[in-house]
Amino acid sequence: MATPPTPDGVPFLGNGMAFSRSPFDAMEEWAQQGDVVRLTFPGQSIYLVTSPDLIEEILVERHGQFTIGRQQRKTFSGIEDDALTANTGDRWKRLRGALRPAFTWDRIEAYGPQMAERTAAHTARWDNGQMDLHREMRLLTVRILGDTLLGTDVTGDEKVIMDAADALVDRADPRRIGKLLPDWLPTLTERRFERRIAALDDYVRGVLDGHTPGDGDVCSVLLAAHDRGDLSMSEVEDNLVGLLLAGHDSSAVALTYAWYELSRHPEIARSLVEEADEIADDGLLGGDDFERLDQTRHVVKETLRLYPPTWGVNRQATESVTLGGYEIPSGAQLMIPQWVLHRDERFWEDPQTFDPSRWARDEPRPAFAYFPFSGGPRHCIGMRFARLELTMALATMATRVELDVTASGPLTFKPSLSLRPTVDIEATVTPRKLNRAD
């Protein structure tokens, strides 16, 4: 059987050198060689898969023949060992079932007013002048998660969560020199990671110890599952830690890039403001306004297309499989990059252009030409939460402030857990005058 094409590399490093220099450009270039491409990195081969149909096979139709990738397990080792993201098989099914009640649409929709209220309170802090946009979006999303996930106001405690997320991002960076060192060697990055994760673990335990039983937050759902014997306390803690880290970081970068693009497309920004002003006629938005915010939802969708916070999905073959006419050996690592599919001109007209109106048009394309939250049984459990949060936060901010966004250089990104910018992104804030009482 034929073998997949392999791009030219350099001795010892293979394709690793090109990936380190410009990972996103490299993936787009490699994808031109075929739907399945074999890449060589020090000590391993990775198969790049960029056909929507093959991706659907991997994530949906034949998902039982694939599991989470080795890199994902290694990344979350020591932080989410008992969480959904790091488990497989029957344990993963049990954890997914225990968490599912916390993420039904009825429950998530009820968070809408809290998300809007928290966003309004957050923007009220902004004075005229410049601010670090990404940092402010991180503070906002951490506080929203405090309200909805933990049932507590985390104002003043954001640093422990953000520091842990920074340490995890640094540890997971595939370009880090320490990735080439033996796992037993204690690098500075690893030691910082361990300290900051330990601090976050202590913080979450403290929240759990002081938590008041109720039914208005995710924490209550998980504790109820623990009381029924469906979750151990370690599983409650690790899943809360995982949701805090992933939930705040991915939403923060999405909001940052949404405002970056809105600042460059004032006509789109105006239509978003007009829509939010019309719908928020009582001063604040609610979860039941989600479906009415067409323009805002289209901006969110387009932002997630052009800047997918999770830029790639990793899988590992659990047996030898045939994929696209190629034999893929058992244990092979697969890279499935949203970044490439979301910008592929086979499926998108003017793919590099920020165009929310494309989502109002009937443009048939394969299901997995767009999958910002992965897909199949292991799709992101917080998908609907994130869409509601991004829509509520963006629309609420639009009614209250104008943001003129600038970057310190060309927009480039870190190929780590989330698509963080490598340049500073600042915003000049101009408060808008509300024409109604809050």
Side-chain angles (χ1 to χ4, degrees):
M1 186 173 289
T3 57
T6 298
D8 293 336
V10 299
F12 305 111
L13 296 178
N15 302 116
M17 178 68 76
F19 186 83
S20 295
R21 286 176 175 168
S22 184
F24 302 105
D25 289 341
M27 288 190 296
E28 289 181 7
E29 181 179 339
W30 294 332
Q32 299 302 311
Q33 298 196 21
D35 291 338
V36 181
V37 176
R38 178 178 171 270
L39 307 173
T40 60
F41 290 85
Q44 66 175 327
S45 295
I46 297 178
Y47 293 83
L48 183 74
V49 183
T50 54
S51 159
D53 292 341
L54 295 181
I55 293 170
E56 188 167 15
E57 283 190 43
I58 296 167
L59 299 182
V60 183
E61 297 168 2
R62 300 164 63 188
H63 68 89
Q65 295 175 291
F66 302 91
T67 186
I68 55 175
R70 183 187 307 133
Q71 187 58 52
Q72 181 172 332
R73 292 194 298 272
K74 185 176 180 180
T75 294
F76 295 109
S77 174
I79 176 174
E80 298 179 25
D81 296 327
D82 290 327
L84 188 67
T85 48
N87 281 277
T88 60
D90 289 342
R91 191 184 191 196
W92 173 83
K93 292 178 182 177
R94 177 175 59 81
L95 292 171
R96 185 89 179 190
L99 268 66
R100 190 175 294 116
F103 293 96
T104 64
W105 177 246
D106 286 347
R107 182 175 290 275
I108 289 170
E109 189 178 36
Y111 296 144
Q114 289 176 281
M115 294 171 174
E117 289 168 12
R118 175 58 69 180
T119 303
H122 191 71
T123 57
R125 300 169 45 255
W126 297 342
D127 297 323
N128 288 14
Q130 285 194 316
M131 66 179 184
D132 182 330
L133 182 61
H134 183 219
R135 181 178 183 278
E136 284 298 321
M137 295 302 101
R138 292 185 69 189
L139 287 170
L140 170 61
T141 55
V142 166
R143 290 170 181 173
I144 288 175
L145 283 178
D147 296 337
T148 58
L149 182 69
L150 301 179
T152 189
D153 186 352
V154 301
T155 303
D157 295 323
E158 301 95 340
K159 190 174 187 297
V160 68
I161 301 168
M162 293 166 63
D163 282 353
D166 291 343
L168 179 60
V169 165
D170 290 343
R171 183 203 202 199
D173 191 332
R175 303 168 301 172
R176 181 170 61 89
I177 296 298
K179 287 281 188 181
L180 302 177
L181 301 175
D183 291 342
W184 52 263
L185 192 64
T187 65
L188 290 174
T189 300
E190 288 289 343
R191 290 201 294 267
R192 181 171 60 249
F193 167 81
E194 291 170 2
R195 287 195 308 271
R196 292 183 174 181
I197 292 302
L200 179 56
D201 286 341
D202 288 343
Y203 179 75
V204 168
R205 291 191 193 103
V207 170
L208 288 170
D209 288 344
H211 188 268
T212 301
D215 61 359
D217 53 72
V218 175
C219 187
S220 295
V221 176
L222 301 191
L223 288 173
H226 169 67
D227 292 342
R228 294 192 306 269
D230 295 339
L231 290 176
S232 69
M233 186 52 69
S234 177
E235 289 170 341
V236 171
E237 293 170 359
D238 278 12
N239 279 288
L240 287 174
V241 166
L243 291 167
L244 279 171
L245 293 177
H248 100 268
D249 209 37
S250 58
S251 293
V253 295
L255 287 171
T256 300
Y257 298 134
W259 278 114
Y260 176 86
E261 289 292 348
L262 288 170
S263 187
R264 279 150 185 75
H265 297 85
E267 72 288 352
I268 299 175
R270 281 193 296 271
S271 65
L272 187 146
V273 169
E274 290 169 1
E275 173 184 79
D277 279 345
E278 179 181 351
I279 293 174
D281 55 5
D282 60 351
L284 282 176
L285 296 158
D288 57 352
D289 291 320
F290 176 78
E291 293 296 336
R292 301 171 61 201
L293 290 163
D294 291 332
Q295 178 67 15
T296 311
R297 287 188 292 106
H298 293 163
V299 167
V300 168
K301 280 187 173 183
E302 183 68 351
T303 301
L304 295 176
R305 181 191 70 82
L306 205 53
Y307 307 103
T310 301
W311 56 268
V313 175
N314 295 114
R315 287 293 184 266
Q316 178 176 320
T318 58
E319 58 188 87
S320 178
V321 297
T322 300
L323 200 64
Y326 300 114
E327 188 72 17
I328 307 298
S330 177
Q333 304 299 306
L334 282 69
M335 182 189 299
I336 305 169
Q338 287 102 320
W339 176 275
V340 174
L341 274 297
H342 288 194
R343 292 168 175 248
D344 194 323
E345 62 184 10
R346 293 178 297 174
F347 316 118
W348 307 94
E349 183 181 351
D350 298 325
Q352 304 296 329
T353 299
F354 182 76
D355 179 15
S357 69
R358 72 173 78 243
W359 297 99
R361 302 191 294 267
D362 183 16
E363 296 179 353
R365 62 180 62 90
F368 281 84
Y370 180 78
F371 56 116
F373 298 98
S374 188
R378 292 196 72 108
H379 74 272
C380 174
I381 198 168
M383 174 179 66
R384 287 179 287 190
F385 181 99
R387 284 177 171 157
L388 179 66
E389 176 189 28
L390 294 173
T391 304
M392 291 297 105
L394 194 59
T396 301
M397 282 187 276
T399 66
R400 284 163 168 75
V401 293
E402 296 177 7
L403 298 181
D404 182 15
V405 180
T406 57
S408 60
L411 200 56
T412 53
F413 314 94
K414 295 180 182 178
S416 191
L417 292 178
S418 62
L419 195 71
R420 287 188 175 187
T422 58
V423 296
D424 294 331
I425 300 179
E426 293 190 336
T428 301
V429 182
T430 303
R432 293 186 67 226
K433 185 175 181 180
L434 292 171
N435 296 320
R436 55 196 177 278
D438 285 336

